[in-house]
Amino acid sequence: MSGRRTEQHQCYMDFAPLILYLVAVIIRQARCHAVCSKESVEEVEKLLGRLTRKDDCKLYTPTPSDYEQNCSRSLLRCFEKEATVLITENNELPKKLLNMLKKLGLQLQDKRQTCPACEVYREEEAVTFLLTLRATLQRMNSMNNC
């Protein structure tokens, strides 16, 4: 009987490194998941469709190339703040995009210690702002193979 227990114990010990390896792979994939947001691109397109000519506010507008300058979290926070201004000024626009941008920004990290403030970017009309936001989100999705 005790010989059989030893064989089972040895079998478990043989599989222990494999099990630990699989756990490590799963944890790594969970921590290093791609930041994707196809749904937020759709929300921006909905906002573009609902935007009227009277929405002539000027908004600080980062460019898609600014996203690649290692300040992705700050850039998304800027888009979030400016989208808040746009949606607050026009009560008819849905607020779903704001939550999406906030969640997306929390998943990103700035790689530089000092990133430009939102006020550094050029002021653009609301339509240009949304087109740029859409292009930035699309670039983010393509960079992460979404």
Side-chain angles (χ1 to χ4, degrees):
M1 262 297 174
S2 84
R4 189 169 192 187
R5 274 190 171 169
T6 307
E7 288 175 16
Q8 282 181 334
H9 183 69
Q10 182 61 38
C11 182
Y12 293 138
M13 293 304 289
D14 289 342
F15 284 112
L18 177 64
I19 293 169
L20 289 174
Y21 173 76
L22 291 174
V23 169
V25 167
I26 291 169
I27 289 173
R28 183 172 181 216
Q29 285 182 344
R31 294 185 76 209
C32 299
H33 67 284
V35 178
C36 299
S37 186
K38 292 180 182 178
E39 190 179 359
S40 60
V41 173
E42 295 168 3
E43 281 301 309
V44 172
E45 290 172 353
K46 286 179 189 175
L47 284 178
L48 278 166
R50 290 181 156 190
L51 209 58
T52 63
R53 284 280 179 213
K54 67 177 183 150
D55 297 315
D56 60 352
C57 63
K58 298 277 188 174
L59 303 163
Y60 295 112
T61 308
T63 65
S65 62
D66 293 323
Y67 173 76
E68 297 169 6
Q69 301 300 317
N70 297 321
C71 287
S72 52
R73 183 180 208 162
S74 299
L75 180 126
L76 235 58
R77 292 185 110 182
C78 180
F79 274 123
E80 178 192 345
K81 289 176 187 176
E82 295 303 296
T84 302
V85 170
L86 176 64
I87 290 171
T88 302
E89 287 188 9
N90 188 338
N91 292 330
E92 298 170 12
L93 297 176
K95 298 179 182 177
K96 185 176 181 181
L97 178 66
L98 298 178
N99 292 331
M100 291 177 164
L101 291 175
K102 183 176 228 160
K103 288 179 186 175
L104 202 55
L106 292 174
Q107 295 177 22
L108 299 170
Q109 291 295 323
D110 289 336
K111 294 177 183 153
R112 290 176 34 194
Q113 286 195 338
T114 56
C115 291
C118 196
E119 292 77 17
V120 170
Y121 301 113
R122 291 181 55 182
E123 287 185 302
E124 301 284 353
E125 293 179 3
V127 173
T128 305
F129 170 81
L130 289 173
L131 289 171
T132 305
L133 174 57
R134 181 179 67 184
T136 303
L137 293 170
Q138 288 172 334
R139 179 168 288 176
M140 184 187 320
N141 288 341
S142 69
M143 289 175 71
N144 291 317
N145 297 319
C146 300

